[in-house]
């Protein structure tokens, strides 16, 4: 971009000028990063130039974030999301509704969630979850020299099953969540400061493998010592994914170290929230209680911004090395495994036993296990452990999932909403003492129609009545008396009559002959206004809404909270959320000069020719356009993807832009007029 700008300014003839521009340009962005960092993190940006400065800034950030930043974070939450509420209702509305209506009252938001089926359309997506304990990741490089690759695990695993019902070539997975355990050696140095070199290598290899059948991009990844989770998504789905967040929980040595623990990545796709968890529980044949405690600690401690907990998501997917064993003797376990007697082994599986007692993974699903135990093998062999310890085989590597909708209302939940398992199996990669496991599911996601959403929103606002829930009470006939007609007897009669309509929370005197009365909710105020009048003794009092045009007021507030920017170049993105005004004409942008071919900033000297004329300037903007009409503020949305509700830009001018050199700027005639003197305050 800098090269294009310098070329348009005709400033690339001298290398000294180019170097100076580059220095100023870089320093400008460094300063910008520092200022943005001060606003959000409280300190300048950590640049890696000085360890002393970066260490001081890190310490200052820790103090700032944990002790001094509550009010700042709440202000940011209000500006971005409309409120600081961390309730389940607030989280649900942030997922389903556009941001410009999140500031409305709680009854409106609750009713919108109740009627969400009217503006959402269910559809299905396919998700692949894989888990692999790579035993330190030492043999990663040897994958390229084996006849079995990662593609046999992640892409072709259903093909190796006896009955293949999954068509991955015509319908590849939309999201891949791939978890690893022991991605580094669990020694003291890695526990204190784990290297990310293996994680980067696995990330690059995974992306190359996954892009065989479709185009994927790494959405996010997170590492806690040896536990690492990667989430890949199809590139065409990236515009529909938002609110990505990470968290991790240590469970080793009572929560002090990360040799055991979990990492989690959450996201929202369309109108559905997903959370992926990769965990590594305590090892040992008899440590069942410790593993249960690890699960409880992880589910309790995982938390995301805005108070989101683990099981507040629509779907939660668990994968990892859970280390649950089989409660049988080693020799008997080996014998049953050699006989392929899977059912007899599953009867003694610790995880299934603990789950049946609701001690772990309550309300979670797991596919039917039809494959042999995945642990523990000799490296590069099909033989179970022949070392001195001779560990018994077990299904330590598992994948489970949980549907929030099925947990709340299992009888009325469809099979797709609960999650349909398409494949659950293992792959025969022999570079580790574990075998990788994979699960392929189809789940239901909700696509929000923002046009219909706003229609339902205005219906709800109309049905619930004015947000202020207030009415005006005054005599039907004018009274000449200057004394107030509302004595104690009249007031008692008014309140008694209104109590039959709804609960009154506030009574205020507007003047001697007018009352302002507020109900608990707007529907009661609407019912009182529809009644029209009440008789108290020989006085007839009229009742009318304090805000009879409350629907127009709400529409104006929605416009005020809407995004009021338009792109300087190009069209409005197709995935922009709904705004509340109808489409307005956009100004036609001047033609952009073609980008130069990739050449060095300082070209080689050439014979000088005629100077290149500057680019044409756009036509002047008329001054009598750009005013929002009152009708546009109160009209309902007409399109699901209109431009933002700001003052509409002028229509495109029919006058062609001037060519050649721009006209000279006229010289100023004399000095500018003096400013008027500021009046002095009277003492």
């Amino acid at each position: 971009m800098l090269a294009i700008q310098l070329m348009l300014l005709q400033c690339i003839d001298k290398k000294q000028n180019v170097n100076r521009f580059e220095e100023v340009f870089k320093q400008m962005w460094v300063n910008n990063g520092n200022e943005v960092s001060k606003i959000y993190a409280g300190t300048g940006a950590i640049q890696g130039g000085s360890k002393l400065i970066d260490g001081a800034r890190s310490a200052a950030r820790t103090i700032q974030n944990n002790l001094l930043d509550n009010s700042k974070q709440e202000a940011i939450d209000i500006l971005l999301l409309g409120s600081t509420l961390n309730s389940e209702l607030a989280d649900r509305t942030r997922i389903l509704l556009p941001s410009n209506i999140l500031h409305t009252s709680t009854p409106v938001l609750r009713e919108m969630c109740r009627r969400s089926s009217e503006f959402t359309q269910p559809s299905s997506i396919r998700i692949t979850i894989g888990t692999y304990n790579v035993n330190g990741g030492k043999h990663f490089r040897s994958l390229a020299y084996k006849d079995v690759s990662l593609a046999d695990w992640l892409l072709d695993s259903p093909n190796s099953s006896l009955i293949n019902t999954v068509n991955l070539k015509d319908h590849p997975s939309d999201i891949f969540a791939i978890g690893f355990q022991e991605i580094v050696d669990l020694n003291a140095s890695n526990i204190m400061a784990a290297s990310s070199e293996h994680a980067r290598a696995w990330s690059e290899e995974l992306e190359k493998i996954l892009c065989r059948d479709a185009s994927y991009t790494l959405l996010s990844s997170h590492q806690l010592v040896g536990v690492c989770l990667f989430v890949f998504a199809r590139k065409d789905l990236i515009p529909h994914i938002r609110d990505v967040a990470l968290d991790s929980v240590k469970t080793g040595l009572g929560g002090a170290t990360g040799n055991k623990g979990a990492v989690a990545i959450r996201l929202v796709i369309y109108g559905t929230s997903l959370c992926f968890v990769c965990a590594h529980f305590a090892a040992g044949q008899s440590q069942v209680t410790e593993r249960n405690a690890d699960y409880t600690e992880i589910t309790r401690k995982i938390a995301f911004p805005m108070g989101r907990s683990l099981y507040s998501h629509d779907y939660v997917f668990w994968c990892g090395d859970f280390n649950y064993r089989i409660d049988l003797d080693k020799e008997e376990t080996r014998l049953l495994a050699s006989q392929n007697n899977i059912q007899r082994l599953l009867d003694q599986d610790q995880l299934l036993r603990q789950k049946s007692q609701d001690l772990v993974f309550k309300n979670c699903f797991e596919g039917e296990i039809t494959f042999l135990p995945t642990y523990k093998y000799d490296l590069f062999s099909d033989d179970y452990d022949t070392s001195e310890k001779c560990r018994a085989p077990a299904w330590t590597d598992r994948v489970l999932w949980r549907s929030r909708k099925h947990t709340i209302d299992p009888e009325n939940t469809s099979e797709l909403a609960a999650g349909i398992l398409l494949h659950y199996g293992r792959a025969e990669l022999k570079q580790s003492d574990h075998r990788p496991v994979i699960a392929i599911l189809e789940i239901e996601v909700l696509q929000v129609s923002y046009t219909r959403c706003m229609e339902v929103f205005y219906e709800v606002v109309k049905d619930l009545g004015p947000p202020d829930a207030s009415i005006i009470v005054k005599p039907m006939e004018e009274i000449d008396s200057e004394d107030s007609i509302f004595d104690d007897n009249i007031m008692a009669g008014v309140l008694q009559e209104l109590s039959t309509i709804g609960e009154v929370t506030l009574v205020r005197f507007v003047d001697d002959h007018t009352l302002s009365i507020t109900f608990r909710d707007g529907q009661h105020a609407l019912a009182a206004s529809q009644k029209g009048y009440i008789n108290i003794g020989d006085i007839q009092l009229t009742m009318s809404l304090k805000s009879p045009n409350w629907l127009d007021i709400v529409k104006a507030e929605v416009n005020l909270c809407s995004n009021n920017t338009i792109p300087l170049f190009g069209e409005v993105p197709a995935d922009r959320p709904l705004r509340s005004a109808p489409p307005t004409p956009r100004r036609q942008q001047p033609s952009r000069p073609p980008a130069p071919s990739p050449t060095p900033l300082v070209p080689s000297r050439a014979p000088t020719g005629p100077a290149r004329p500057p680019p044409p300037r756009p036509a002047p903007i008329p001054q009598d356009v750009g005013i929002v009409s009152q009708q546009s503020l109160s009209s309902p949305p007409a399109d699901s993807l209109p431009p933002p509700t700001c003052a509409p830009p002028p229509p495109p001018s029919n006058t062609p832009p001037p060519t050649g050199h721009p006209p000279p700027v006229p010289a100023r005639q004399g000095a500018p007029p003096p400013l008027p003197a500021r009046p002095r305050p009277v003492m």
Side-chain angles (χ1 to χ4, degrees), residues 316-335:
V316 177
F317 302 93
W318 285 86
C319 68
D321 180 1
F322 302 141
N323 263 320
Y324 285 97
R325 309 301 171 91
I326 298 173
D327 287 330
L328 290 174
D329 185 74
K330 293 181 181 179
E331 287 73 17
E332 185 179 2
T333 303
R334 289 172 176 270
L335 178 61

Side-chain angles (χ1 to χ4, degrees), residues 84-376:
T84 60
L85 296 178
N86 295 334
S87 65
E88 183 178 344
L89 174 64
D91 184 42
R92 193 67 187 157
T93 55
R94 283 192 290 266
I95 292 174
L96 292 174
L97 307 181
S99 59
N100 55 349
I101 64 175
L102 293 179
H103 67 283
T104 52
S105 61
T106 300
V108 173
L109 297 179
R110 186 177 294 112
E111 185 67 13
M112 289 295 294
C113 289
R114 191 185 68 82
R115 297 178 59 177
S116 60
S117 60
E118 298 181 28
F119 55 87
T120 58
Q121 177 67 35
S123 61
S124 66
I125 63 170
R126 183 170 291 183
I127 296 180
T128 297
I129 304 104
T131 178
Y132 191 12
N133 186 318
V134 293
N135 192 26
K138 306 182 190 68
H139 304 288
F140 168 74
R141 296 299 177 188
S142 64
L143 287 173
Y145 303 103
K146 298 297 175 181
D147 54 353
V148 179
S149 70
L150 292 177
D152 295 272
W153 166 38
L154 299 173
L155 301 178
D156 301 328
S157 181
N159 299 334
S160 61
S161 59
L162 296 177
I163 302 176
N164 182 14
T165 60
V166 185
N167 186 0
L168 291 178
K169 288 191 175 180
D170 295 338
H171 185 186
S173 291
D174 300 295
I175 295 176
F176 278 88
I178 307 167
F180 294 95
Q181 305 82 46
E182 297 186 28
I183 202 169
V184 297
D185 287 323
L186 299 182
N187 52 40
S189 61
N190 281 330
I191 290 175
M192 296 302 296
S195 169
S196 59
E197 180 181 354
H198 286 184
R200 286 195 297 269
W202 279 103
S203 173
E204 294 171 0
E205 184 69 16
L206 289 172
E207 189 163 5
K208 287 190 292 185
I209 293 295
L210 296 180
C211 289
R212 188 196 72 179
D213 296 338
S215 182
Y216 292 91
T217 187
L218 178 63
L219 186 66
S220 185
S221 65
H222 196 29
Q223 179 181 358
L224 173 66
V225 188
V227 182
C228 191
L229 177 63
F230 302 92
V231 176
F232 292 85
R234 279 208 342 255
K235 286 190 175 179
D236 57 315
L237 287 177
I238 294 298
H240 307 288
I241 296 176
R242 65 184 192 280
D243 292 350
V244 179
L246 317 173
D247 196 23
S248 60
V249 176
K250 300 177 182 178
T251 59
L253 296 180
T257 61
N259 59 313
K260 294 293 188 289
V263 295
I265 299 177
R266 65 96 56 185
L267 57 95
V268 174
I269 177 168
Y270 296 112
T272 303
S273 58
L274 313 178
C275 184
F276 301 94
V277 183
C278 178
H280 196 183
F281 291 173
Q285 178 72 28
S286 60
Q287 277 70 27
V288 179
T289 304
E290 287 79 356
R291 287 189 276 274
N292 293 352
D294 287 349
Y295 168 82
T296 303
E297 189 77 356
I298 291 169
T299 55
R300 182 177 66 87
K301 284 190 174 181
I302 283 183
F304 299 102
M306 303 301 296
R308 300 179 180 98
S309 61
L310 177 62
Y311 285 133
S312 67
H313 295 81
D314 294 316
Y315 292 94
V316 177
F317 302 93
W318 285 86
C319 68
D321 180 1
F322 302 141
N323 263 320
Y324 285 97
R325 309 301 171 91
I326 298 173
D327 287 330
L328 290 174
D329 185 74
K330 293 181 181 179
E331 287 73 17
E332 185 179 2
T333 303
R334 289 172 176 270
L335 178 61
L336 292 173
S338 65
Q339 297 174 350
N340 203 26
N341 193 342
I342 294 177
Q343 187 57 49
R344 177 74 176 89
L345 294 173
L346 288 175
D347 292 340
Q348 302 299 321
D349 180 71
Q350 292 177 351
L351 176 56
L352 294 180
R353 285 186 165 189
Q354 299 300 307
K355 185 176 179 297
S356 65
Q357 302 174 36
D358 288 339
L359 297 177
V360 292
F361 298 108
K362 184 178 180 180
N363 297 317
C364 290
F365 299 99
E366 183 182 16
E368 181 184 0
I369 296 177
T370 59
F371 49 89
L372 289 173
T374 58
Y375 173 85
K376 177 184 183 184

